[in-house]
Amino acid sequence: MNALDRLAGTIAARAAADAESSWTAKLLDKGPEKCAEKFGEEAIEAVIEAVKGDRARLTAEAADVLYHLLVMLQARGIALDEVLAELDRRAGTSGLDEKAQREG
């Protein structure tokens, strides 16, 4: 089991926890819209660090982005395995071809 699988499992377990004892539960209790907002905030912070070129800060912000992505997915009932299956489906397909397929 890799770190993302462990984190997704922890987030799923914390979804049922008391919001007073778990930041994850507290965030999930605020609903999917708040989870999406937090994901967006963290993504912007990662972009800022990428532009600045600070490797350590970007690494830390990227970890925050992954955490908040998994929380957002949990809020909408989407498992990490579903996202990984989609990535597997796209493997070997040109990014340009994949985009054209989505756009119809």
Side-chain angles (χ1 to χ4, degrees):
M1 183 180 282
N2 66 41
L4 278 180
D5 289 324
R6 286 191 303 274
L7 181 57
T10 299
I11 290 167
R14 299 261 169 87
D18 177 17
E20 295 302 314
S21 65
S22 167
W23 164 249
T24 300
K26 186 178 219 172
L27 188 54
L28 287 165
D29 279 355
K30 292 181 180 181
E33 294 82 7
K34 184 63 175 179
C35 295
E37 180 184 324
K38 274 304 287 176
F39 171 73
E41 290 171 7
E42 295 299 336
I44 290 168
E45 290 174 13
V47 168
I48 290 167
E49 296 305 332
V51 170
K52 288 181 179 178
D54 185 326
R55 185 178 177 87
R57 290 295 309 143
L58 177 55
T59 300
E61 292 300 338
D64 289 346
V65 168
L66 291 173
Y67 165 78
H68 284 284
L69 173 61
L70 292 174
V71 170
M72 182 175 64
L73 292 172
Q74 175 71 37
R76 286 295 185 198
I78 300 170
L80 175 59
D81 285 345
E82 294 176 69
V83 177
L84 296 176
E86 177 62 15
L87 288 172
D88 283 341
R89 186 190 68 75
R90 294 180 185 188
T93 303
S94 155
L96 295 175
D97 290 343
E98 192 276 329
K99 184 176 180 186
Q101 290 172 2
R102 281 186 291 140
E103 293 175 351

